[in-house]
């Protein structure tokens, strides 16, 4: 069963469009391979619904309990319910090993593309989340 969230689309004023263009692109990492997985989902939902969308272009990145990384494009409401990991809402990704990229590699059906990031907000709990492992990547 898919999680659905209605979004009303309205035209943006010019000033708002410029602000949206100048936003920093931030990955919000959630999930993980350890017992704190579900706590991370709850925390990530709180962060994602509270973050200033005018200042930041948010790129949710979910890590499954098996350790697979995905860019998540679905409704934030699916995350705390642990219904985020659906093929139609996720695209496999990895942190780029290149010092030139500073971002993610997105593995799409048509090939791999780079997604540059200005920063990351790890909302991970427990091992690999609070011990600096992910921050070191």
């Amino acid at each position: 069963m898919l999680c659905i969230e209605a979004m009303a689309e309205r035209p943006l004023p010019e000033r708002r469009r410029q602000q949206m263009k100048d936003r920093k692109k931030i990955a919000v990492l959630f999930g993980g391979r350890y017992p704190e997985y579900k706590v991370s989902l709850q925390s990530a939902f709180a962060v994602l619904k509270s973050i200033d969308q005018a200042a930041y272009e948010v790129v949710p990145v979910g890590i499954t309990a098996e350790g697979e990384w995905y860019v998540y494009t679905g409704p934030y409401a699916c995350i705390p319910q642990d219904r985020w990991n659906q093929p139609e809402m996720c695209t496999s990704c990895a942190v780029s090993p290149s010092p030139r990229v500073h971002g993610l590699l997105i593995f799409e059906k048509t090939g791999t593309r780079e997604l540059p990031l200005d920063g990351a907000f790890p909302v991970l709990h427990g091992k690999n989340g609070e011990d600096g492992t992910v921050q070191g990547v």
Side-chain angles (χ1 to χ4, degrees), residues 92-110:
S92 186
C93 70
V95 175
S96 173
S98 171
R100 178 186 56 78
V101 175
H102 299 289
L104 298 172
L105 298 176
I106 311 296
F107 306 113
E108 298 174 328
K109 292 177 184 174
T110 57

Side-chain angles (χ1 to χ4, degrees), residues 27 29 59-61 68-72 90-109 111-117 137:
L29 309 176
V59 180
V61 177
E68 298 290 328
W69 288 46
Y70 295 97
V71 170
Y72 174 67
C90 292
T91 304
S92 186
C93 70
V95 175
S96 173
S98 171
R100 178 186 56 78
V101 175
H102 299 289
L104 298 172
L105 298 176
I106 311 296
F107 306 113
E108 298 174 328
K109 292 177 184 174
T112 302
R113 72 176 171 92
E114 298 173 353
L115 178 64
L117 297 169
V137 174

Side-chain angles (χ1 to χ4, degrees), residues 35-49:
E36 294 83 358
Y37 171 85
K38 289 193 177 187
V39 175
S40 174
L41 300 183
Q42 299 297 322
S43 298
F45 177 64
V47 168
L48 289 165
K49 72 178 187 175

Side-chain angles (χ1 to χ4, degrees), residues 80-92:
Q81 301 167 12
D82 197 13
R83 293 184 5 207
W84 66 272
N85 190 12
Q86 304 291 328
E88 58 277 355
M89 297 186 286
C90 292
T91 304
S92 186

Side-chain angles (χ1 to χ4, degrees), residues 16-29 48 51-61 71-73 76 104 113-121:
R16 178 81 169 153
R17 272 195 292 264
Q18 185 60 39
Q19 287 174 331
M20 300 288 277
K21 182 179 159 200
D22 296 337
R23 297 179 301 169
K24 297 287 185 188
K25 191 176 294 187
I26 304 295
V28 174
L29 309 176
L48 289 165
I51 199 163
D52 183 355
Q53 299 284 334
Y56 302 101
E57 180 180 346
V58 178
V59 180
V61 177
V71 170
Y72 174 67
T73 58
Y76 295 160
L104 298 172
R113 72 176 171 92
E114 298 173 353
L115 178 64
L117 297 169
D118 295 302
F121 187 147

